Amino acid sequence: MTIYSHPTFDMACDQFDKVADLLSIDPQDRDRLKYPKRALTVAVPVRLDSGKVQVFSGFRVQHHLSLGPTKGGMRYHPDVALGEVAALAMWMSWKCALTGLPYGGAKGGVTCDPSQLSINELERITRRFTQEIISFIGPQIDIPAPDVGTNEQTMAWMMDTYSIHTGHTVPAVVTGKPVHLGGSLGRREATGRGVAFLIGRAMETLRLKSQDATAVIQGFGNVGSVTAGTLASTGIKVIAISDVSGGIHNPNGLDLNAIHAHLQSHPTLAGYTGGDRISQDELLTLPCDILVPAALERQITEKNAHLLKCRILAEAANGPTTPAADAILDQRPDLFIIPDILCNAGGVIVSYFEWVQDLQSFFWDEAEIMGKLYRSLENAFRHTVNTARDRQVSMRTAALSIGIQRVHQAKKSRGLFP
Ligand code: GLU
């Protein structure tokens, strides 16, 4: 399936092949499990504020349909490509299966740079993109959510466009909406809080104390910033963060309130003076207890894996570590890895709660949602740790094998049509 050729797709396939060997999955079943079931590419013509028309590329990939509708985010970023989206959809499948959600994985996006577009242009892109993929999504078909470069407002426009097409309000067509439109309490914070919860569980396992611990976070979007705030609230010192403009480092701990205040009036961390400027490469190799890549794929590679100086690598981003880096990290028992499909699963878990609440038109309070979220993550964490121990494999291989095995079992039981 060369249409998906992309370094990130190769990476997801590599991980899959390794686990398929470990689980002795019949070669006949492998391609069915690996390749996306459906993919849609659309041209999104949009009139810019200047009056000029620009055609953007839009994608939606649905990885497998064996356990229910598909689920996953919509990414707006200049690097969005079919193969990248396909890899992210595959990881959503394993993530949903690992956490027991009744979904297949999906992902989508538009190749664009949101920082260069006005709010009106973003609205027109979102509405036209939604219209182009409208028969491909739906509460029982495929349910988008936010990802890199999109947010609650994007989801509100998608929901509105879909609802106008249908003729009545359909909140369950997307998750990660504003709470006043049928969004779920706790959804905005869910991924970051989940990351912090799992870091806490890893610290217990390693007997590390919050009071003495330091954290470094790559990426200060929704996930990175909520993770930073939640870790800081437990006494962990956040000593470095970064965004597209580079990193800032303060060994005495960064003032997160001052950073949020800076970001109110500046688009990026550039110009913030409460720490030393450092590069992304320097940030990843700072000595710390907890390293949280919370940005894009393929950040930890064979070039820097041996230089990491953390105890816990908490993968808040999807696919931050390449298989070549994994081969190096596998030789480093000093490092506890919380693999992406476990680490950032809090987002899609609360998305599932949002979808259920929308379908039943009955909403839960935040305490109930957070309690259910932490129970789900605790189960997935234990299952992964136990599998890693019993099979003598890495945490990544353990998490992937639980997810892949569940999808495989579903496909086997349903059989092949016709
Ligand atoms: N984009 C998020 C992820 O990668 C959330 C997906 C969702 O909530 O459906 O997990």
Side-chain angles (χ1 to χ4, degrees), residues 28-49:
Q28 286 206 68
D29 294 342
R30 293 191 186 192
D31 284 358
R32 247 181 108 199
L33 274 165
K34 181 154 86 174
Y35 292 112
K37 188 74 182 77
R38 300 168 172 165
L40 181 62
T41 301
V42 293
V44 185
V46 172
R47 194 174 302 282
L48 302 177
D49 293 346

Side-chain angles (χ1 to χ4, degrees), residues 71-73 92 95 107 143 145-147 175 187 318 344 347-348 351:
K71 186 85 196 79
M92 283 306 300
K95 189 188 310 187
K107 206 74 158 204
I143 306 128
D147 196 78
T175 61
R187 173 62 187 87
N318 290 307
N344 66 37
V348 73
S351 273

Side-chain angles (χ1 to χ4, degrees), residues 195 198-208 213-216 236 288-293 308-315 334-338 343 381:
V195 172
L198 292 165
I199 289 171
R201 294 294 286 108
M203 289 175 75
E204 278 167 33
T205 311
L206 298 175
R207 298 183 205 287
L208 286 178
T214 53
V216 168
I236 293 170
C288 62
D289 295 298
I290 305 148
L291 176 64
V292 186
L308 299 193
K309 297 182 192 70
C310 55
R311 294 292 313 282
I312 297 170
L313 174 62
E315 296 183 340
D334 55 312
L335 239 150
F336 189 105
I337 301 181
I338 312 173
C343 193
F381 179 79

Side-chain angles (χ1 to χ4, degrees), residues 279-296:
S279 69
Q280 300 281 5
D281 287 344
E282 287 168 321
L283 177 122
L284 291 173
T285 56
L286 281 173
C288 62
D289 295 298
I290 305 148
L291 176 64
V292 186
L296 296 169

Side-chain angles (χ1 to χ4, degrees), residues 13-341:
C13 289
D14 223 80
Q15 292 175 345
F16 172 84
D17 292 340
K18 192 168 163 224
V19 172
D21 286 343
L22 178 82
L23 297 176
S24 307
I25 293 179
D26 188 336
Q28 286 206 68
D29 294 342
R30 293 191 186 192
D31 284 358
R32 247 181 108 199
L33 274 165
K34 181 154 86 174
Y35 292 112
K37 188 74 182 77
R38 300 168 172 165
L40 181 62
T41 301
V42 293
V44 185
V46 172
R47 194 174 302 282
L48 302 177
D49 293 346
S50 64
K52 191 178 146 247
V53 174
Q54 186 171 340
V55 180
F56 295 89
S57 301
F59 307 95
R60 186 71 181 170
V61 174
Q62 299 170 358
H63 180 251
H64 82 85
L65 313 177
S66 303
L67 282 165
T70 48
K71 186 85 196 79
M74 287 294 195
R75 178 172 293 200
Y76 288 4
H77 190 276
D79 295 339
V80 164
L82 179 64
E84 183 199 42
V85 170
L88 291 161
M90 202 195 303
W91 286 325
M92 283 306 300
S93 284
W94 315 144
K95 189 188 310 187
C96 292
L98 169 66
T99 49
L101 306 182
Y103 295 133
K107 206 74 158 204
V110 176
T111 315
C112 67
D113 183 351
S115 71
Q116 301 303 312
L117 294 160
S118 72
I119 185 95
N120 290 326
E121 289 168 334
L122 285 168
E123 177 171 358
R124 290 197 289 275
I125 290 175
T126 302
R127 289 189 182 278
R128 185 63 195 253
F129 175 48
T130 307
Q131 182 58 47
E132 296 298 340
I133 62 165
I134 212 140
S135 56
F136 209 52
I137 58 172
Q140 298 303 338
I141 302 172
D142 180 11
I143 306 128
D147 196 78
V148 175
T150 57
N151 55 28
E152 290 180 7
Q153 181 59 71
T154 323
M155 294 305 115
W157 290 326
M158 283 198 164
M159 185 272 238
D160 185 67
T161 306
Y162 186 87
S163 298
I164 288 170
H165 172 87
T166 314
H168 57 90
T169 299
V170 187
V173 67
V174 294
T175 61
K177 298 176 291 295
V179 172
H180 58 266
L181 279 183
S184 178
L185 292 168
R187 173 62 187 87
R188 189 189 306 157
E189 301 80 13
T191 314
R193 285 192 192 162
V195 172
F197 172 83
L198 292 165
I199 289 171
R201 294 294 286 108
M203 289 175 75
E204 278 167 33
T205 311
L206 298 175
R207 298 183 205 287
L208 286 178
K209 294 251 176 307
S210 305
Q211 262 55 37
D212 313 319
T214 53
V216 168
I217 300 178
Q218 183 200 38
F220 208 67
N222 173 35
V223 177
S225 63
V226 173
T227 303
T230 314
L231 292 178
S233 72
T234 65
I236 293 170
K237 213 183 323 175
V238 179
I239 57 166
I241 63 166
S242 68
D243 69 5
V244 283
S245 72
I248 42 170
H249 176 217
N250 185 339
N252 299 318
L254 292 164
D255 181 345
L256 297 176
N257 288 334
I259 291 169
H260 283 293
H262 172 89
L263 291 174
Q264 290 293 314
S265 48
H266 302 80
T268 66
L269 294 169
Y272 180 73
T273 51
D276 302 324
R277 296 299 305 190
I278 53 170
S279 69
Q280 300 281 5
D281 287 344
E282 287 168 321
L283 177 122
L284 291 173
T285 56
L286 281 173
C288 62
D289 295 298
I290 305 148
L291 176 64
V292 186
L296 296 169
E297 308 89 73
R298 293 183 288 122
Q299 301 298 303
I300 297 165
T301 65
E302 73 272 26
K303 295 204 177 72
N304 59 10
H306 59 289
L307 300 172
L308 299 193
K309 297 182 192 70
C310 55
R311 294 292 313 282
I312 297 170
L313 174 62
E315 296 183 340
N318 290 307
T321 307
T322 64
D326 265 333
I328 297 167
L329 299 180
D330 282 349
Q331 307 305 315
R332 290 194 51 184
D334 55 312
L335 239 150
F336 189 105
I337 301 181
I338 312 173
D340 52 0
I341 61 166

